Amino acid sequence: MVDDKTVDVLQKKKVRLNNTAILFLILVVMFALFSYVGRPFFFSKLNLIPMINNLSFVGIIAAILTMVMVSGEIDFSIGGNIGLTACLTALLLEKGLPGWLVVIIALAGGFAMGAFNGMLVTVVGVNSIIATIGTMFIWRGIGYTITNGESKLALNTVIDYIGRGFVFKVIPFPIVLLVAVFIITYIIMNHSKWGRRIYAIGANPLASFLSGINVKKVKFIGFLFCGAAAALGGLVLTSLSAVGMPQHGQGQELVIISAIILGGTALGGGRGQILGTLAGVFILSVLYNFLTIMNIYYFYIQMVQGSVLILVVSTYEIRQAVARRRT
Amino acid sequence: MSDSNGIVLRMENITKTFPGVVALDNVSIDLYKGEVLGILGENGAGKSTLIKILAGNYIKDSGDIFIDGQKFEIKGPAEAMSSGIRVIYQELNTINNLTVAENIFIGEQLVKGPLKIIDWKGMNKKAEELLAVMNVKLDPNAIIGDLTVSEKQIVEIAKAISQEAKILVMDEPTAALSEEETQSLFKIIQALKTKGVAIIYISHRLKEIFEITDRVTVLRDGKKVGTLKTKESDSNKLVEMMVGRDIKDMYPKRHVPIGGVVMEVNNLGAEGFDNISFKLRKGEILGIFGLLGSGRSSLVKALFGANKIKNGEIIVNGKKLRIKSPGMARDAKIGLVPLDRKIEGLALMMGVKENITLANIKELGKSFLIARNQERRKAGNWVDEIGIRTPSVEQEVNSLSGGNQQKVVLAKWLESGSQIIILNEPTRGVDVGAKIEIYKLMQDLCEKGSSIIMISSELPEILSIADRIIVMSKGRFTEEYKICDASEEGLLRSACL
Amino acid sequence: MKKTVVLLAAILVVVLAATISFSGCVQAQKAEETKAAEVIGEAAYDYYEMLREVAKKGEAYPDAPAAGKTLAFTNIMGGIPFCESVWSDVQKQWALAGGAPGDLYYADNQYDATIGLKNADIMLAKSPDVLINFQFDAKVNSIIATKFGQAGIPIIAVDVPTPGAPFMGVNNFYVSYLGGEYAVAAVEAMGGIDMLDAIVLMQFPAGGDILMLRSEGFYQAFVDKYGAEKIDPITYRADGGAGEAEQANKAMTDILSTIPDAQYVAMTSINEQTMSGCIAAIQTAGRWDPEKWFIVTMGCDDVGKQQIRDGLTDGSVAFFPERYGEYLVPAAVALMMGQIVPPFLYVENVVINKDNIDEWYPE
């Protein structure tokens, strides 16, 4: 009797954790397959390094947004935040402010945008989908207004370094940022007390509240840092393109949220893995990269990405249903 | 053949399991035309599961259902309805912003004319007739949200009758009714009987069972203990069948010396109640009794900082406290085992250890990181100490039985060092064995110097376990009983004041 | 299991790191090749001019110069008729030049700088001999130009300038001015400027300065003819969006209410989708009279052609996207062969109207 139950439990655990492992497996298979089919272009330093460089800002934001989503909320305003940050950065540089100060102001702006979202959701009590779709338009609108809709060159040694600099002359700085953000969020989510609170709130906000956890505070801080992460992403994108423009980041919220969901985070909260998000970001980027290398039209690429998203998420659901039936 | 016997419904060897629990184990019942069959059992005995299978809300794992002798697979609520089964649940299904008449005729409004215009007049008239049959005066145009709980219940019954029920199931219909209302309900039941409706009446109140039923089936721990003719049984026999042991073993009560006052509540008021005062002493179990809508759960939430306090004061260990959040209550060493553990008490998709340490995450290590070994050890200690049956501390609490889940909630507060533990219906949905363990556990805690506030609507439980009982009704304090003066009748009377 | 995940992640990282070290010496050599033709003078463009003549006639280029070469083309917005026309002509000309279809790389920039950058990087990884860059933001193009410059891969810019690269496409000011002159002639035939109540420019400020020229030239043609004192008071500018008929419709409705008495109006817009919305608004307002509205559109795409045939517009300045390849591929091939090309390759525009439309676009 006891033995039976133990076996059952082991199977169940395996099922749950394996989702992330499967994603990495898919990724490895994709790399292998694409390297062969897409030779000699796909598997080369010239391709992969810029690819990771270009996905870095998506990854940075996705990591933090995963924390927000695990806590049961969502932030759609990240795309607008990127755009506004990019415009702000370019304008401040144009005004002749030193690069380091511009970075500080841009990040502070990100915190402010995050705080505003957090206030709307936790203090006023607006549903986060509605609140952040609203602020998404507001941020982008402000971006268009302050720049008159024009793109502006953003060239400055500090800003250049964020997206195009190299650490030790070989490792691109955005990749360093990406790795740092993922290590930090991984530790927070999987090993820290704060991460525990985030998971608990996502799993059951009421029970967490009635266990003395300050649910609003945890959610607020999630939004706060999500705003800052989006601003950091905006800085990276500004630097990558050397341009601040209000269109920056348009549509990126869906790309980022897709990657997170692909990585196994539940929309309702409570479930989600930072490493899963990392895999999700990579899978979507690698797909785009490979299919573009193969001269595939954009619309087909989108179809493939959408299909992969649905396929993987369906697999999660099926596996979960199977696991449930087994108990 | 079976029709001539008058058997309307036969459920044969019904089995249903949930993760970690066998809710029904080979249960069979027969129901004759025009009879009232009582189903009696403790919470967690399987009564509700049986009914939900009949109503099509759960799918049975195995067994057969025959209606009028025909084998019938109930795959969903719609099929149950179409075969004439009507269920009135404990939790009311009325729609609060519609009128009485609209609720009664929901799903099958009366229409008139070729254009099928809703016949408001006809609906109101028919509703009035139905209510008149039940001997109640209710305005068919009244909005449900404005009615009392018992009035809502009456609307539910009227709804069931309006739909030509062949089999009517009533799940604890009197839980929120006064004595007078109960009597008028019984009149309705008698009237339905004579019309040939077969009724399943679920209750754990013996008095009602004797009064209204023809036969009674007793369930215990998901198994059928037996079926008796009501006239041929007596109260002791039924209790023995229900509990499976002597009533004294069921509610073990130890004498624990009671110390000084640890908590004093003066004229406390908040949403749902007002002007409540009481004192809680060290080692004491203070019972709070009240019917649905009495404000007992609101009181609990206010004491625990989950609802805003409007007036009055709370003094803990001589210090006046302003408890504004559950976090502050926790820091004041107050713990809450809430009414609905799945919604309010547990993060179901998380493990036993995560749930045990949920209220005390900050003590899980010196730095900002969680010391995993320490956590496992802490959780493991509580699992051993209060006997939580789980394969490991990693196990998802979702798959534990109700009793073990309840122990996990309790362990959460023990882990955070609570000295005053509030338990709201501590044994709801818990099997008999676990119930006894929880009672023992509560008294162990008292022996170690904790104090307990127990909210319960189960009379035998509160009468046996509490040291003192406060009764609430409609958000007010009505009476306080020393345990030696308390009786079922007395409590119920005070609860209806 | 958690360890497996970490392990897999670690393997990936190691593999990626390995790629950094072993591959990467592909591109360095290219830088030298393109600087061959330093001769400046009329004769310098001979090779390009020769190929251009061949291309115009739709004949195969002599000696199949593109054989074994690679060309990358990034489209500004795949799926819309203009861009599809450009792309198919590039494909056609590439085949005429003797290039293999697999050596023509394609990516779609989707009016999105982020995607444009990604595509540029992917194209860079494929190291083509020439990049034809059709990307909507001129400033973003500067970073693309820098990257390709470092790799020694020449760029040809289409419609939107890329720093340091030859520009092929429409001279926005010129085409707009051409349209303006056409409208001026119509106004003259009608009885002069005093007949005219308003000049409406449906613009898209968010598209940037260069796109603004696509309507400001129209205005300038009037100013040059009649003087700013006469023209400024009757000129109305509005934001009609990038090509969504709905926004243009709204903007036009607003304008109509500011000039309630205007009957004779000259009008232009940045493209013909915008104009559809404007005309619908005029019709809805009950103020439509084809005799009194002088409308010149830009582009002459399928929508524009239909508008002319339906008598809705008076003329359209044709951009001939279906002929872009006749300029782009000869230029690209010339660059591949180490020759130089003129800094500006403007489309030879023509005003299409009811009288000559069948000549250019036989039905």
Side-chain angles (χ1 to χ4, degrees):
Chain A
M1 170 79 195
V2 172
D3 273 349
D4 267 10
K5 217 168 183 183
T6 321
V7 169
D8 222 59
V9 169
L10 283 178
Q11 278 174 345
K12 201 163 167 234
K13 279 195 74 101
K14 216 162 134 193
V15 164
R16 192 149 54 88
L17 279 171
N18 251 346
N19 280 344
T20 313
I22 283 177
L23 282 177
F24 276 92
L25 211 64
I26 292 174
L27 201 52
V28 169
V29 171
M30 275 169 65
F31 261 97
L33 188 72
F34 294 175
S35 301
Y36 178 76
V37 180
R39 67 186 185 280
F41 303 121
F42 179 79
F43 200 76
S44 68
K45 176 187 167 187
L46 207 53
N47 182 44
L48 293 184
I49 299 296
M51 182 194 83
I52 302 174
N53 228 0
N54 287 333
L55 71 76
S56 60
F57 78 95
V58 170
I60 289 166
I61 302 169
I64 308 287
L65 185 55
T66 302
M67 298 167 75
V68 173
M69 284 176 67
V70 168
S71 80
E73 301 292 343
I74 201 162
D75 187 348
F76 278 101
S77 73
I78 43 183
N81 185 324
I82 293 173
L84 179 50
T85 304
C87 294
L88 193 67
T89 305
L91 277 176
L92 293 176
L93 286 177
E94 206 177 56
K95 293 237 158 69
L97 265 66
W100 59 269
L101 187 59
V102 172
V103 171
I104 290 172
I105 295 174
L107 290 177
F111 275 112
M113 285 185 258
F116 188 80
N117 284 334
M119 294 273 282
L120 277 180
V121 174
T122 62
V123 180
V124 186
V126 185
N127 176 301
S128 62
I129 297 176
I130 296 161
T132 58
I133 286 180
T135 53
M136 166 179 85
F137 287 121
I138 296 172
W139 306 154
R140 194 168 302 287
I142 296 173
Y144 271 104
T145 312
I146 60 177
T147 54
N148 264 330
E150 286 166 34
S151 55
K152 293 189 184 306
L153 278 177
L155 294 169
N156 170 287
T157 46
V158 177
I159 299 294
D160 290 353
Y161 188 80
I162 293 175
R164 287 175 280 130
F166 291 89
V167 178
F168 307 127
K169 291 189 179 154
V170 282
I171 313 165
F173 186 66
I175 298 181
V176 174
L177 272 181
L178 180 75
V179 171
V181 167
F182 268 93
I183 290 175
I184 292 169
T185 49
Y186 180 82
I187 291 173
I188 290 177
M189 288 301 269
N190 291 21
H191 295 286
S192 82
K193 297 171 182 173
W194 193 257
R196 173 62 59 77
R197 293 190 182 101
I198 291 173
Y199 275 109
I201 288 171
N204 190 338
L206 186 53
S208 301
F209 171 65
L210 290 177
S211 298
I213 295 176
N214 193 336
V215 175
K216 288 183 173 178
K217 181 173 150 196
V218 173
K219 287 186 173 177
F220 178 85
I221 289 177
F223 279 109
L224 189 71
F225 278 91
C226 193
L232 181 58
L235 281 168
V236 172
L237 182 57
T238 306
S239 174
L240 280 173
S241 58
V243 166
M245 63 196 316
Q247 294 97 330
H248 263 342
Q250 197 144 32
Q252 292 299 318
E253 54 280 327
L254 288 185
V255 173
I256 292 167
I257 291 169
S258 308
I260 295 170
I261 291 172
L262 184 61
T265 297
L267 262 184
R271 285 210 167 86
Q273 287 292 328
I274 288 291
L275 286 178
T277 295
L278 182 67
V281 169
F282 263 85
I283 287 175
L284 289 181
S285 293
V286 166
L287 266 178
Y288 180 85
N289 183 285
F290 168 71
L291 293 172
T292 305
I293 281 180
M294 299 311 291
N295 271 0
I296 307 294
Y297 284 5
Y298 183 75
F299 304 105
Y300 296 116
I301 299 179
Q302 281 185 311
M303 283 189 247
V304 172
Q305 287 180 324
S307 308
V308 167
L309 179 66
I310 289 173
L311 210 72
V312 171
V313 176
S314 306
T315 315
Y316 293 150
E317 294 300 328
I318 292 164
R319 289 167 63 87
Q320 216 183 334
V322 169
R324 223 179 284 138
R325 209 159 297 154
R326 227 179 262 158
T327 51
Chain B
M1 175 71 181
S2 48
D3 220 13
S4 62
N5 284 346
I7 294 183
V8 184
L9 170 74
R10 170 187 289 244
M11 294 176 86
E12 230 172 57
N13 301 327
I14 306 290
T15 298
K16 174 78 189 170
T17 54
F18 293 111
V21 202
V22 181
L24 283 179
D25 188 359
N26 263 319
V27 172
S28 304
I29 61 163
D30 292 330
L31 181 65
Y32 293 85
K33 198 172 177 193
E35 78 157 346
V36 178
L37 173 69
I39 295 183
L40 192 61
E42 288 286 313
N43 282 339
K47 295 171 299 185
S48 293
T49 311
L50 189 69
I51 292 323
K52 283 182 175 159
I53 286 171
L54 187 58
N57 289 346
Y58 290 158
I59 306 294
K60 60 188 176 354
D61 296 345
S62 64
D64 297 309
I65 296 172
F66 299 90
I67 291 175
D68 291 335
Q70 299 288 316
K71 193 170 166 186
F72 195 77
E73 283 296 324
I74 298 175
K75 295 199 189 82
E79 278 159 331
M81 295 278 278
S82 70
S83 56
I85 299 167
R86 300 286 178 274
V87 182
I88 298 164
Y89 290 103
Q90 241 173 312
E91 309 91 22
L92 301 173
N93 288 324
T94 46
I95 298 171
N96 277 337
N97 48 8
L98 297 184
T99 67
V100 169
E102 282 172 309
N103 262 287
I104 291 176
F105 294 105
I106 199 153
E108 41 187 286
Q109 287 107 331
L110 301 183
V111 290
K112 62 178 177 189
L115 292 176
K116 308 219 162 165
I117 296 165
I118 294 181
D119 182 4
W120 293 109
K121 250 190 185 163
M123 258 165 64
N124 283 348
K125 197 162 163 247
K126 195 144 181 237
E128 221 160 330
E129 282 167 21
L130 274 168
L131 293 167
V133 170
M134 292 162 64
N135 209 8
V136 279
K137 279 184 203 134
L138 257 182
D139 179 4
N141 282 314
I143 300 292
I144 291 288
D146 300 335
L147 303 184
T148 64
V149 178
S150 57
E151 285 169 331
K152 285 182 192 171
Q153 187 121 32
I154 287 163
V155 172
E156 281 277 285
I157 295 167
K159 182 165 121 191
I161 301 169
S162 81
Q163 293 165 341
E164 302 292 322
K166 193 192 306 177
I167 299 164
L168 182 62
V169 183
M170 297 179 160
D171 190 359
E172 304 268 3
T174 55
L177 299 190
S178 69
E179 188 60 33
E180 204 177 315
E181 287 164 334
T182 304
Q183 285 310 320
S184 59
L185 174 67
F186 285 174
K187 272 185 207 146
I188 297 165
I189 292 175
Q190 289 295 352
L192 293 173
K193 259 179 79 171
T194 52
K195 278 171 130 188
V197 178
I199 295 166
I200 296 178
Y201 188 93
I202 295 169
S203 181
H204 58 249
R205 291 192 188 156
L206 287 173
K207 198 167 147 249
E208 293 173 4
I209 294 284
F210 283 114
E211 208 173 325
I212 195 70
T213 65
D214 300 308
R215 290 187 306 142
V216 55
T217 295
V218 182
L219 299 180
R220 186 175 72 227
D221 296 348
K223 294 191 183 75
K224 179 172 158 183
V225 185
T227 301
L228 300 173
K229 288 215 164 111
T230 312
K231 280 177 198 151
E232 291 165 11
S233 67
D234 61 50
S235 157
N236 281 343
K237 191 164 184 185
L238 286 181
V239 169
E240 210 182 292
M241 285 170 80
M242 255 165 82
V243 178
R245 63 198 92 192
D246 202 287
I247 191 126
K248 285 212 178 76
D249 300 336
M250 179 65 204
Y251 300 110
K253 179 68 182 170
R254 267 172 281 163
H255 180 73
V256 178
I258 289 172
V261 173
V262 290
M263 185 191 217
E264 193 177 337
V265 170
N266 292 324
N267 305 320
L268 199 68
E271 201 191 312
F273 69 92
D274 201 11
N275 209 16
I276 299 286
S277 305
F278 63 82
K279 287 189 175 101
L280 178 68
R281 294 188 164 77
K282 192 172 179 176
E284 184 183 37
I285 297 180
L286 174 65
I288 297 181
F289 180 77
L291 301 176
L292 222 78
S294 61
R296 51 183 198 209
S297 290
S298 307
L299 171 65
V300 166
K301 286 204 168 137
L303 286 177
F304 196 63
N307 279 2
K308 211 174 165 189
I309 292 169
K310 282 185 193 142
N311 46 46
E313 55 179 14
I314 300 171
I315 299 164
V316 176
N317 291 326
K319 252 192 289 179
K320 199 178 153 183
L321 290 183
R322 293 191 59 82
I323 300 173
K324 287 181 192 160
S325 71
M328 291 170 82
R330 173 199 56 203
D331 295 342
K333 302 292 176 206
I334 300 173
L336 169 68
V337 178
L339 180 63
D340 188 335
R341 62 182 160 270
K342 292 190 176 190
I343 294 173
E344 301 171 319
L346 295 166
L348 288 175
M349 56 173 101
M350 297 180 96
V352 169
K353 68 173 163 47
E354 283 87 354
N355 273 286
I356 289 179
T357 57
L358 191 62
N360 209 20
I361 293 173
K362 68 174 181 295
E363 300 296 328
L364 279 179
K366 286 188 188 109
S367 69
F368 69 98
L369 295 176
I370 288 174
R372 300 235 169 223
N373 289 333
Q374 197 186 330
E375 179 181 27
R376 213 168 290 129
R377 204 171 53 242
K378 279 180 173 178
N381 285 345
W382 289 116
V383 166
D384 293 342
E385 190 161 340
I386 65 177
I388 299 171
R389 274 180 292 279
T390 171
S392 78
V393 292
E394 321 281 341
Q395 176 76 349
E396 244 183 56
V397 287
N398 200 17
S399 61
L400 300 186
S401 70
N404 283 308
Q405 288 183 346
Q406 196 70 312
K407 286 186 199 164
V408 171
V409 180
L410 195 56
K412 172 171 78 181
W413 295 110
L414 300 179
E415 167 58 27
S416 67
S418 300
Q419 290 299 309
I420 299 169
I421 298 176
I422 307 170
L423 297 111
N424 197 353
E425 303 284 2
T427 58
R428 182 186 265 203
V430 163
D431 63 61
V432 176
K435 258 186 179 180
I436 297 169
E437 285 183 57
I438 288 173
Y439 297 142
K440 284 185 177 153
L441 207 55
M442 285 164 65
Q443 295 175 69
D444 287 347
L445 293 175
C446 288
E447 265 174 359
K448 286 180 194 151
S450 297
S451 308
I452 286 175
I453 298 175
M454 174 175 80
I455 288 85
S456 177
S457 55
E458 267 189 65
L459 286 166
E461 170 179 286
I462 199 164
L463 285 167
S464 313
I465 302 301
D467 295 309
R468 198 153 52 90
I469 300 169
I470 290 172
V471 185
M472 287 175 75
S473 170
K474 294 171 190 138
R476 292 170 295 117
F477 164 86
T478 53
E479 209 140 350
E480 181 174 332
Y481 290 89
K482 280 181 197 150
I483 200 67
C484 48
D485 303 333
S487 66
E488 290 206 10
E489 291 72 26
L491 290 184
L492 276 172
R493 190 169 4 90
S494 306
C496 293
L497 280 177
Chain C
M1 236 356 105
K2 198 166 263 182
K3 275 176 189 150
T4 321
V5 177
V6 177
L7 193 72
L8 278 170
I11 291 172
L12 264 183
V13 170
V14 171
V15 170
L16 288 177
T19 58
I20 299 175
S21 42
F22 91 82
S23 73
C25 13
V26 194
Q27 70 178 118
Q29 281 88 2
K30 285 234 165 110
E32 301 307 311
E33 293 175 12
T34 42
K35 295 198 175 169
E38 292 282 304
V39 198
I40 304 296
E42 288 299 313
Y45 303 137
D46 279 357
Y47 186 65
Y48 164 75
E49 299 290 0
M50 182 272 286
L51 291 180
R52 164 96 181 96
E53 286 308 311
V54 177
K56 230 173 171 174
K57 290 181 202 142
E59 293 166 3
Y61 299 13
D63 305 329
K69 302 281 185 189
T70 52
L71 174 66
F73 176 74
T74 56
N75 211 344
I76 189 165
M77 178 81 200
I80 70 169
F82 186 95
C83 304
E84 290 302 321
S85 297
V86 175
W87 170 227
S88 34
D89 197 41
V90 167
Q91 283 173 294
K92 182 181 147 202
Q93 292 292 333
W94 180 246
L96 289 175
D103 289 336
L104 179 57
Y105 308 150
Y106 178 79
D108 183 349
N109 288 333
Q110 283 293 308
Y111 262 130
D112 184 327
T114 314
I115 295 178
L117 284 168
K118 268 199 262 185
N119 288 342
D121 280 334
I122 292 170
M123 290 304 146
L124 202 56
K126 293 175 89 172
S127 299
D129 292 305
V130 172
L131 167 72
I132 298 173
N133 184 38
F134 196 3
Q135 200 280 128
F136 88 110
D137 189 89
K139 288 174 182 129
V140 173
N141 279 342
S142 62
I143 192 85
I144 294 175
T146 310
K147 286 179 178 176
F148 278 77
Q150 280 165 357
I153 300 170
I155 296 178
I156 301 167
V158 185
D159 270 357
V160 183
T162 300
F167 173 93
M168 183 269 144
V170 166
N171 181 338
N172 278 304
F173 184 78
Y174 171 74
V175 290
S176 181
Y177 195 86
L178 207 62
E181 284 180 330
Y182 184 76
V184 164
V187 168
E188 281 295 291
M190 198 71 199
I193 186 66
D194 295 329
M195 290 289 296
L196 200 66
D197 299 318
I199 297 170
V200 176
L201 309 177
M202 203 47 78
Q203 305 179 311
F204 180 48
D209 293 341
I210 290 173
L211 196 57
M212 291 299 274
L213 296 178
R214 195 182 282 183
S215 47
E216 289 299 332
F218 188 85
Y219 159 81
Q220 195 59 43
F222 275 88
V223 170
D224 287 354
K225 175 80 181 173
Y226 303 113
E229 314 79 46
K230 263 214 151 69
I231 298 307
D232 282 351
I234 58 166
T235 302
Y236 299 87
R237 293 176 171 83
D239 184 352
E244 307 88 4
E246 205 174 322
Q247 189 180 340
N249 194 319
K250 275 185 208 150
M252 191 66 213
T253 306
D254 289 347
I255 290 224
L256 287 173
S257 59
T258 51
I259 47 169
D261 302 322
Q263 293 192 345
Y264 292 87
V265 185
M267 177 158 75
T268 191
S269 66
I270 59 157
N271 60 37
E272 283 139 345
Q273 283 74 22
T274 314
M275 191 53 81
S276 303
C278 295
I279 293 173
I282 303 166
Q283 289 172 334
T284 309
R287 293 175 57 180
W288 176 246
D289 181 351
E291 299 301 314
K292 294 177 180 171
W293 288 82
F294 306 105
I295 298 177
V296 183
T297 60
M298 296 294 139
C300 201
D301 62 12
D302 289 343
V303 176
K305 284 172 221 160
Q306 199 56 47
Q307 285 167 344
I308 292 171
R309 290 207 160 96
D310 293 346
L312 293 173
T313 59
D314 299 278
S316 176
V317 182
F319 293 176
F320 299 121
E322 66 281 4
R323 287 158 193 258
Y324 271 35
E326 292 171 16
Y327 302 84
L328 290 171
V329 176
V333 170
L335 290 173
M336 286 170 193
M337 304 314 275
Q339 305 292 324
I340 56 171
V341 298
F344 295 98
L345 311 168
Y346 287 130
V347 179
E348 292 152 13
N349 303 99
V350 175
V351 179
I352 305 291
N353 57 28
K354 213 163 189 159
D355 303 327
N356 67 3
I357 187 163
D358 289 328
E359 197 178 309
W360 287 95
Y361 299 107
E363 256 180 318

